[in-house]
Amino acid sequence: VLKDAASQAIYGARAAAGVILITTKRGKEGILQLNYDYEYGISEPTTLPSFVGARDYRNMINERSLNDGGGNIFDPAVNDNYDELHRSDPDAYPDTDWQDLTLNNKTTNRHRHDLSMSVGTEKVKTRASLSYVTEDGLYENRDYDRYTFRVNNNLQMYKWLEANVDIYYKRTETLEPSLDPNVIRQARLYPGIYSAIRTDGLWGEGKDGENNLAATIEGGTLDQRFNQISGILGVTIKPFEGLSIRANISPTYNFNKFNEFTTPALIPRQ
């Protein structure tokens, strides 16, 4: 961590808030070493809001309207018997928990695999690593995969001259519904009085023909692939004891691809 002005000077305006230098692991002199690590994790929402049912929602909307000097929006007689009406005809009197239906997975599973190799002689030292991370989503059509590969090479050409050649590649693949990246927010827009799935298995009408659950599951997907290749070519010269002169070239190349497929889910109209 660089904090004083003198050490930050070579980084210019980018160092206004300080500089953190991060170095990756390097190869060491010795026999070939192989290491494999596996990590498994579970993620879940810290907390989720709870929502009132359809009957309470209808009563609260009426109460708000009456407090504002208006009349009832929903028939009070239907409200009083809404639970029974819902049991006898859930298509006509829905009571939908949109959040619960959307979050079909209450937890996500995360897997990480790391494989590394290190070998070196007095003149050449190499370290290579390969990593793969995958995680599923809390809802349909949500996945995340990341692949990384790195090779670090140190070359001791002369006592006073050393070079390093590093190569890094990262590929990230994400899949999500094309409806909206914030699917969880969409799942909280509609109250329970709108139908998501009918008893015959078809999609419900939703609100004014818009059914976010149907759009999340059958409305299409956005497939994104991000690729990055970078490298470092560095030379270190030590003309005499106590002085090191280092020069680096570090190009980075990004190339990405996006595929989006959108189709309207079949929503019955009443």
Side-chain angles (χ1 to χ4, degrees), residues 1 12 18 28 32 34 107 113 161 167-168 176 179:
V1 179
K28 298 181 180 180
L32 175 66
L34 292 174
T107 61
H113 305 267
L161 179 61
I167 299 174
Y168 173 72
E176 58 190 29
L179 160 70

Side-chain angles (χ1 to χ4, degrees), residues 1-21:
V1 179
L2 307 180
K3 296 182 180 179
D4 61 280
S7 60
Q8 297 176 14
I10 61 174
Y11 297 98
R14 295 178 299 172
V19 177
I20 298 177
L21 300 180

Side-chain angles (χ1 to χ4, degrees), residues 37-180:
D37 293 316
Y38 171 73
E39 177 185 300
Y40 173 74
I42 297 176
S43 301
E44 63 179 348
T46 304
T47 183
L48 291 172
S50 57
F51 301 91
V52 299
R55 179 175 61 84
D56 290 336
Y57 176 82
R58 292 166 63 99
N59 286 329
M60 294 169 70
I61 291 298
N62 281 352
E63 182 178 353
R64 184 188 67 178
S65 178
L66 293 173
N67 289 339
D68 290 340
N72 287 316
I73 305 299
F74 299 104
D75 187 346
V78 174
N79 295 355
D80 292 340
N81 297 283
Y82 197 88
D83 292 340
E84 181 177 347
L85 293 170
H86 169 69
R87 286 191 291 269
S88 61
D89 190 356
D91 291 336
Y93 303 93
D95 190 359
T96 305
D97 187 338
W98 290 89
Q99 178 178 258
D100 186 67
L101 290 175
T102 300
L103 302 183
N104 59 331
N105 297 324
K106 300 303 181 285
T107 61
T108 65
N109 300 293
R110 183 178 185 272
H111 304 267
R112 176 168 182 158
H113 305 267
D114 292 297
L115 178 64
S116 63
M117 178 274 292
S118 178
V119 67
T121 65
E122 183 181 357
K123 295 293 185 180
V124 180
K125 301 177 181 66
T126 299
R127 178 182 174 84
S129 62
L130 178 65
S131 177
Y132 171 61
V133 178
T134 181
E135 184 172 7
D136 53 17
L138 294 171
Y139 44 85
E140 293 286 340
N141 295 320
R142 179 69 173 93
D143 286 298
Y144 174 87
D145 296 279
R146 187 186 67 201
Y147 309 83
T148 57
F149 174 70
R150 179 186 294 275
V151 177
N152 294 339
N153 298 284
N154 288 83
L155 310 174
Q156 188 71 50
M157 293 178 284
Y158 300 99
K159 184 178 180 179
W160 54 271
L161 179 61
E162 181 181 348
N164 66 280
V165 180
D166 303 340
I167 299 174
Y168 173 72
Y169 171 71
K170 179 176 69 172
R171 178 183 177 90
T172 303
E173 299 177 354
T174 64
L175 180 70
E176 58 190 29
S178 58
L179 160 70
D180 190 310

Side-chain angles (χ1 to χ4, degrees), residues 165-227:
V165 180
D166 303 340
I167 299 174
Y168 173 72
Y169 171 71
K170 179 176 69 172
R171 178 183 177 90
T172 303
E173 299 177 354
T174 64
L175 180 70
E176 58 190 29
S178 58
L179 160 70
D180 190 310
N182 198 340
V183 172
I184 296 179
R185 172 184 173 274
Q186 294 288 336
R188 298 169 180 168
L189 291 179
Y190 299 161
I193 61 173
Y194 301 111
S195 173
I197 303 176
R198 304 196 317 184
T199 54
D200 58 7
L202 297 178
W203 293 115
E205 184 179 5
K207 181 181 180 181
D208 301 326
E210 298 293 334
N211 187 327
N212 284 336
L213 179 64
T216 297
I217 297 176
E218 294 187 358
T221 57
L222 173 61
D223 185 4
Q224 304 177 88
R225 301 178 182 181
F226 305 92
N227 297 275

